[in-house]
């Protein structure tokens, strides 16, 4: 992220716009330009545009502003879990026992890593009571 102070939508627009230019050049060179508009195509385009490009990238930018890079990177191991859990109701693909075991190992690994990578809490100085019986101008 070149400009972390910029608005999330501006960062997303710059990233998506620059990728679109590169992909357009590739499409003009290698594709015929024929599109069959189907409900599946429209649904997948909507998901990729809204769910991934806007939602996931905005979440990534928010995490990068508030977390260290190694902690943010550890969350990427959760993507297969999310895909597997979304595929269950949407596509009817029930997770197998080996997938459930894999999901469990990944979740435990992310939790252990993030717990161990947290910086220790700073000791807070004890709060001393203020003596209001003496005027502030008379205190030394």
């Amino acid at each position: 992220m070149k400009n972390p102070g910029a608005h999330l939508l501006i960062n997303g627009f710059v990233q998506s716009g620059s990728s679109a230019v590169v992909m357009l050049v590739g499409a003009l060179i290698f594709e015929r330009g024929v599109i069959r508009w189907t409900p599946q195509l429209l649904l997948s385009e909507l998901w990729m545009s809204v769910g991934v490009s806007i939602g996931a990238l905005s979440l990534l930018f928010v995490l990068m502003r508030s977390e260290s890079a190694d902690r943010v990177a550890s969350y990427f191991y959760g993507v297969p879990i999310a895909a597997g859990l979304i595929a269950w109701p949407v596509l009817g693909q029930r997770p197998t026992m080996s997938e459930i075991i894999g999901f469990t190992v990944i979740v435990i690994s992310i939790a252990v890593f993030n717990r161990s990578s947290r910086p220790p809490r700073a000791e807070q100085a004890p709060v001393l009571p203020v003596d209001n019986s003496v005027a502030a101008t008379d205190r030394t």
Side-chain angles (χ1 to χ4, degrees), residues 67-68 70-72 74-75 110-120:
E67 299 280 344
S68 63
D70 58 344
R71 291 186 72 183
V72 172
S74 74
Y75 299 139
I110 292 171
V112 168
F113 174 79
N114 284 323
R115 182 168 298 206
S116 66
S117 69
R118 271 192 197 137

Side-chain angles (χ1 to χ4, degrees), residues 128-133 139:
L128 300 174
V130 177
D131 183 12
N132 289 329
S133 63
R139 292 184 200 151

Side-chain angles (χ1 to χ4, degrees), residues 5-6 12 21 34 50 53 59 63 66-67 69-70 92 102 108 112 118 121 123:
V21 170
V34 177
V50 176
S53 294
L59 179 61
L63 284 171
S66 63
E67 299 280 344
D70 58 344
I108 291 170
V112 168
R118 271 192 197 137
R121 286 189 175 178
E123 292 291 326

Side-chain angles (χ1 to χ4, degrees), residues 5-97:
H7 193 273
L8 286 176
L9 292 178
I10 293 172
N11 279 340
F13 178 77
V14 169
Q15 181 174 357
S16 298
S18 58
S19 322
V21 170
V22 171
M23 297 309 293
L24 178 63
V25 169
L28 291 173
I29 294 171
F30 298 110
E31 296 294 330
R32 293 188 322 236
V34 177
I35 300 174
R36 287 186 324 176
W37 297 99
T38 63
Q40 293 86 356
L41 173 68
L42 294 174
L43 182 62
S44 63
E45 284 296 321
L46 179 67
W47 171 252
M48 292 300 292
S49 300
V50 176
V52 175
S53 294
I54 295 173
L57 284 177
S58 295
L59 179 61
L60 175 65
F61 289 146
V62 168
L63 284 171
M64 288 173 59
R65 286 181 180 172
S66 63
E67 299 280 344
S68 63
D70 58 344
R71 291 186 72 183
V72 172
S74 74
Y75 299 139
F76 283 101
Y77 290 102
V79 172
I81 297 171
L85 294 177
I86 290 171
W88 189 357
V90 173
L91 303 174
Q93 296 176 344
R94 294 190 71 196
T96 64
M97 185 53 71

